[in-house]
Every structure is written in structure tokens, then in C-alpha cells.
């Protein structure tokens, strides 16, 4: 879809970024994590093997191996992934992408054939189990990327063009179509109170509409655009995609301040604050719209994506709401999304924003603290985290992508890019 991946940095800046990525890999090489005081032992065992644990750490070691940093990284990537995979058989992991077994299977599918060869299709049983769950009737769980339908669709996309993966993606699209609320403005996706995190449930006791990538409609848009690009379930996905884009664009202009989109939309309520992040706000939405535009061949959506991305690039650092370096809502995540947008569009303004935020991610490092110098922030808390989404491994992957000619295809986990080799119409 895009031109070859180009490093953003060279010289001393590139050497520093690569050195930090290696330091993070070294710090996460054992797959060890400290258990927060409010997390039970069973939940912690599941978490530390997920994308936020060993599976995510495996990705950083693998991409260092792809970069040519040494065979030791390849061996460590396989070791960490094997540990996570073994845990699936021992623990009662949920199916979700970010905190469950489909995320571990995603990493296996992503690295198979590049880092190691499989004698048999080890993920086929996962395809069949998920398809069976989706075939029993209306999906009663979440629809989001982290734990719900969209995340299962991301796993299915990574497994294409296998027939079992195409069937699974078709089932996900069908369940999303059944879940959509059809309105004159388009297709919306409601987050009922029981699907909200406790903090959000207090804010929205009657539920709300999440507009972002992590838990909301932007991820639906990127997934449906990816399905169209893959040529799977297009008869159902394309009209649903058009309706969902229309619904989201109707929400533009309702945010406070200079942002285009709020994090949430609650009919009859005042607009809430937003931020510069992948999980919520303009930057993630611009990324989703660009993925959908390229996937479905809709140039008008790309115009919207570029316009929103340029506005996000102009956001002053003091208004961005960025307090740490993580992928989800930190400086490395902002830098990587701007980098992906720049690599896709060629707009230099977006490249400048990528360089700014990735340099900020380097500057946020505090040697001797956290995981290889990185501590993460969530509301009033600061904590050590080794994993992909909000942890040090994600920071390392973003920094590595800024200095390497190897395309960071791992960001398909963020729905930030399309997988090539379309599978054909179904």
C-alpha cells in the first residue's frame, strides 16, 4: 500500500534511540513483572503473559532481530513467546486481544515464517474456538479493540489468507453489523454501563459512546477498512463502514478547546476533554480514517484524515495531556502515529511532529528508575511496566521504528496500518 519505510533519524540521535531500545530489551529479557498491590495473583499471571507482558516483550526482541541486532534477540523473542504460549494451557485466559489468548496467538501468527518456522498451524485451534464462540448467537461482550469483537477481528486479519481466518473475520463483521445502532447520521456503537471501566462507569452511569481507538468507534472504522482492503466480508463491511464514518464525522467540533473530537459522546451532556493520543482523540481518529480510506479507496475520508492529523500536529505540547512515554497515551505513541501518518502521506508537517514527540520520549527517560529508565503514568499514579501498550517495550518498538528501515508491522495491533496481500473477495 505504502512506499518503503524510511528511518526518521540518523547519526547520534539514531544511535541513542537504538541504544535505548536495546536497553529496554535487556531489562525485559526475563519476562519478569512486579505485581501491583490491587491485582490478584490469578489476574496477574494472566496479565504478565499477555500483550502487556511476555507476548508484547517478545515483539521488541523480534524486531531488534529483524533490524540485525543479533541472533540472541531472536532466541529471546522465541523464549518469551513460548513462555506466554505455555501459560495459555495453564491459565484461564479470556479471549480478548490485549489481555487474553488471542493476543498471544496474534504474536505467534505475526512472527511465524519470519522469526521461526512452524511444522503445523498452531493457531488453527484458536481460530476454531473463536469462530465457535461467535457462531452461538448475538455477541454479549464488548465490541472494542482491547477485549471485544474488534480485537478478535485484528487477530483474524493477521491470520489471513487462511480460510479459518476469513470465516472468523466474516463472523466478526456480522456481529458488528448486528450491534450497530442505525441513525439518520449513520451507524453508532454504544458502550453500555456494564462494559465500561469502573472509573468511566461513575462518569457515565447510563453508558456513553466512546469515539477512540482503544474502546470505541475509531477502531471499528479501522477494522472495517482493513476488512475491505483484504477483500473479506466486503458486502457487509463496506456499507457499515460508510455509515460508521458518517456517524463519527457528525461528532466533529463537539470537543472542548482546539481538539476536533471529544473522547466520548453522551447525548444531552456537555463535551468532555480530549488529548493527543492513540487511545482517545484526534490523532487516533485521524489514523483510523486514513486506514479506512486506503483500505476502502475513499479519497474523501483521506482528506478528512489529513486535515485532522495536521491539526493534531499543531497541538502545543502543554495542551497535549502527555505525561509519559508509552504507546497508548504517551510521547512514543504520538511520535509513532505521526511517523506512520508521515510515511503513508509524505506530509512533512507530520514528519516534524513525529520527530518532536519521539525526541520527547527520549527526554522522558530517567536512568536508574523504572524499566530501563521509563516509568508510566495513569491519572495520579506512576508505575513500572514492561509491556506493549503502556509499557517500556512499546516505547522501545516506537524508537526502533524511527531509526530502522524495517517496517513496523507490529502496529497492526494498534490498527495503524494495513496488511498487504489481500485475500480476495468473500
Amino acid at each position: 500500500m505504502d512506499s518503503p519505510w524510511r528511518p526518521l533519524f540518523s547519526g547520534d540521535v539514531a544511535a541513542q534511540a537504538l541504544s535505548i531500545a536495546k536497553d529496554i530489551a535487556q531489562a525485559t529479557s526475563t519476562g519478569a513483572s512486579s505485581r501491583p498491590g490491587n491485582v490478584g495473583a490469578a489476574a496477574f499471571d494472566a496479565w504478565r503473559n499477555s500483550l502487556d507482558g511476555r507476548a508484547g516483550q517478545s515483539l521488541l526482541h523480534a524486531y531488534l532481530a529483524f533490524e540485525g541486532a543479533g541472533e540472541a534477540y531472536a532466541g529471546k523473542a522465541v523464549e518469551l513467546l513460548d513462555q506466554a504460549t505455555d501459560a495459555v494451557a495453564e491459565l484461564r485466559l479470556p479471549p480478548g486481544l490485549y489481555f487474553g489468548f488471542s493476543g498471544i496467538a496474534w504474536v505467534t501468527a505475526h512472527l511465524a515464517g519470519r522469526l521461526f518456522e512452524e511444522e503445523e498451524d498452531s493457531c488453527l485451534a484458536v481460530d476454531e474456538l473463536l469462530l465457535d464462540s461467535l457462531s452461538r448467537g448475538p455477541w454479549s461482550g464488548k465490541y472494542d479493540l482491547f477485549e471485544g469483537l474488534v480485537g478478535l477481528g485484528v487477530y483474524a486479519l493477521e491470520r489471513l489468507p487462511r480460510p479459518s481466518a476469513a470465516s472468523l473475520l466474516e463472523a466478526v463483521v456480522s456481529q458488528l453489523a448486528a450491534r450497530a445502532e442505525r441513525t439518520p447520521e449513520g451507524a453508532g456503537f454504544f458502550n453500555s454501563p456494564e462494559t465500561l471501566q469502573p472509573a468511566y462507569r461513575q462518569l457515565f452511569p447510563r453508558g456513553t459512546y466512546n469515539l477512540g481507538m482503544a474502546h470505541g468507534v475509531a477502531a471499528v472504522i479501522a477494522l472495517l477498512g482493513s476488512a475491505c482492503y483484504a477483500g473479506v466480508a466486503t458486502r457487509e463491511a463496506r456499507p457499515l463502514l460508510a455509515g460508521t464514518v458518517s456517524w463519527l464525522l457528525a461528532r466533529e467540533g463537539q470537543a472542548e478547546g482546539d481538539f476536533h473530537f471529544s473522547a466520548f459522546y453522551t447525548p444531552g451532556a456537555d463535551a468532555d476533554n480530549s488529548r493527543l493520543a492513540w487511545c482517545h482523540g484526534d490523532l487516533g481518529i485521524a489514523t483510523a480514517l486514513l486506514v479506512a480510506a486506503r483500505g476502502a479507496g475513499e479519497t474523501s475520508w483521506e482528506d478528512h484524515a489529513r486535515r485532522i492529523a495536521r491539526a493534531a500536529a499543531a497541538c502545543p505540547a502543554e495542551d497535549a495531556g502527555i505525561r509519559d512515554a508509552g504507546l497508548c497515551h504517551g510521547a512514543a505513541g504520538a511520535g509513532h502515529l505521526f511517523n506512520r501518518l508521515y510515511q503513508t502521506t509524505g506530509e512533512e508537517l507530520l514528519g516534524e511532529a513525529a520527530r518532536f514527540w519521539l525526541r520527547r520520549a527520549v527526554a522522558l527517560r530517567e536512568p536508574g528508575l523504572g524499566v530501563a529508565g521509563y516509568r508510566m503514568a495513569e491519572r495520579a499514579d506512576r508505575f513500572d511496566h514492561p509491556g506493549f501498550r503502556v509499557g517500556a517495550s512499546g516505547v522501545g518498538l516506537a524508537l526502533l521504528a524511527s531509526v530502522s528501515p524495517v517496517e513496523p508491522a507490529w502496529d497492526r495491533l494498534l490498527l495503524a496500518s494495513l496488511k498487504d496481500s489481500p485475500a480476495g473477495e468473500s
Side-chain angles (χ1 to χ4, degrees), residues 201-217:
R201 198 177 305 144
Q202 292 181 358
L203 292 173
F204 309 109
R206 297 183 179 179
T208 187
Y209 295 87
N210 189 308
L211 306 186
M213 282 284 243
H215 301 289
V217 69

Side-chain angles (χ1 to χ4, degrees), residues 263-279:
F264 302 92
Y265 165 65
T266 307
D270 293 335
D272 61 272
N273 293 326
S274 193
R275 67 199 306 180
L276 188 73
W278 166 77
C279 54

Side-chain angles (χ1 to χ4, degrees), residues 327-418:
L327 285 181
C328 186
H329 44 258
H336 182 73
L337 285 196
F338 278 123
N339 192 7
R340 175 57 79 174
L341 290 164
Y342 165 61
Q343 302 274 351
T344 305
T345 66
E347 292 202 24
E348 185 54 43
L349 177 66
L350 304 179
E352 292 173 2
R355 295 181 187 96
F356 173 85
W357 285 111
L358 288 164
R359 287 192 178 102
R360 178 63 63 92
V362 170
L364 284 168
R365 192 183 191 204
E366 303 175 87
L369 297 177
V371 179
Y374 285 101
R375 302 207 75 208
M376 301 303 161
E378 185 73 36
R379 298 181 179 88
D381 297 328
R382 289 182 64 80
F383 55 92
D384 300 347
H385 198 301
F388 173 79
R389 177 181 59 97
V390 296
S393 292
V395 177
L397 283 164
L399 292 177
L400 181 60
S402 73
V403 303
S404 173
V406 177
E407 182 181 5
W410 54 262
D411 68 6
R412 293 199 287 265
L413 280 169
L414 303 175
L415 280 169
S417 60
L418 293 165

Side-chain angles (χ1 to χ4, degrees), residues 104-410:
I104 299 171
W106 187 98
V107 177
T108 300
H110 185 68
L111 299 182
R114 299 183 67 189
L115 194 69
F116 56 85
E117 297 297 331
E118 289 187 301
E119 294 183 1
E120 59 183 33
D121 187 351
S122 61
C123 292
L124 179 58
V126 176
D127 298 356
E128 294 172 343
L129 178 61
L130 294 175
L131 184 58
D132 178 66
S133 296
L134 290 171
S135 302
R136 294 176 184 174
W139 179 261
S140 60
K142 299 179 181 181
Y143 76 83
D144 71 347
L145 173 62
F146 279 3
E147 301 176 76
L149 286 169
V150 174
L152 302 186
V154 169
Y155 164 73
L157 284 166
E158 198 63 24
R159 291 273 294 153
L160 291 176
R162 296 169 181 84
S164 59
S167 296
L168 178 58
L169 184 55
E170 289 168 357
V172 167
V173 171
S174 180
Q175 290 280 2
L176 286 170
R179 189 73 165 264
E181 295 183 352
R182 315 291 174 158
T183 75
E185 293 176 319
F189 288 82
F190 184 66
N191 299 80
S192 60
E194 62 272 14
T195 66
L196 298 175
Q197 296 173 329
Y200 290 137
R201 198 177 305 144
Q202 292 181 358
L203 292 173
F204 309 109
R206 297 183 179 179
T208 187
Y209 295 87
N210 189 308
L211 306 186
M213 282 284 243
H215 301 289
V217 69
V220 176
I221 287 170
L223 177 73
L224 293 173
S226 298
C228 290
Y229 184 72
V232 176
T234 55
R235 293 179 183 86
E236 198 163 26
R238 188 173 289 273
L240 180 59
L241 172 59
T244 309
V245 170
S246 175
W247 186 94
L248 178 62
L249 290 176
R251 309 278 81 77
E252 187 174 2
Q254 298 176 4
E256 292 182 349
D258 295 330
F259 291 108
H260 287 233
F261 291 89
S262 296
F264 302 92
Y265 165 65
T266 307
D270 293 335
D272 61 272
N273 293 326
S274 193
R275 67 199 306 180
L276 188 73
W278 166 77
C279 54
H280 296 293
D282 295 357
L283 183 53
I285 287 172
T287 303
L289 288 171
L290 185 60
V291 167
R294 293 294 178 95
E298 291 286 348
T299 58
S300 64
W301 299 346
E302 179 158 343
D303 292 340
H304 287 295
R306 289 178 180 239
R307 173 179 57 80
I308 296 164
R310 288 193 292 267
C315 178
E318 59 270 21
D319 297 334
I322 289 178
R323 298 173 52 219
D324 68 16
L327 285 181
C328 186
H329 44 258
H336 182 73
L337 285 196
F338 278 123
N339 192 7
R340 175 57 79 174
L341 290 164
Y342 165 61
Q343 302 274 351
T344 305
T345 66
E347 292 202 24
E348 185 54 43
L349 177 66
L350 304 179
E352 292 173 2
R355 295 181 187 96
F356 173 85
W357 285 111
L358 288 164
R359 287 192 178 102
R360 178 63 63 92
V362 170
L364 284 168
R365 192 183 191 204
E366 303 175 87
L369 297 177
V371 179
Y374 285 101
R375 302 207 75 208
M376 301 303 161
E378 185 73 36
R379 298 181 179 88
D381 297 328
R382 289 182 64 80
F383 55 92
D384 300 347
H385 198 301
F388 173 79
R389 177 181 59 97
V390 296
S393 292
V395 177
L397 283 164
L399 292 177
L400 181 60
S402 73
V403 303
S404 173
V406 177
E407 182 181 5
W410 54 262

Side-chain angles (χ1 to χ4, degrees), residues 35 39-49 91-93:
R35 178 160 65 95
V39 177
F44 173 69
D45 284 340
W47 168 79
R48 71 174 178 176
N49 288 290
L91 305 171
R92 296 179 63 86
L93 270 66

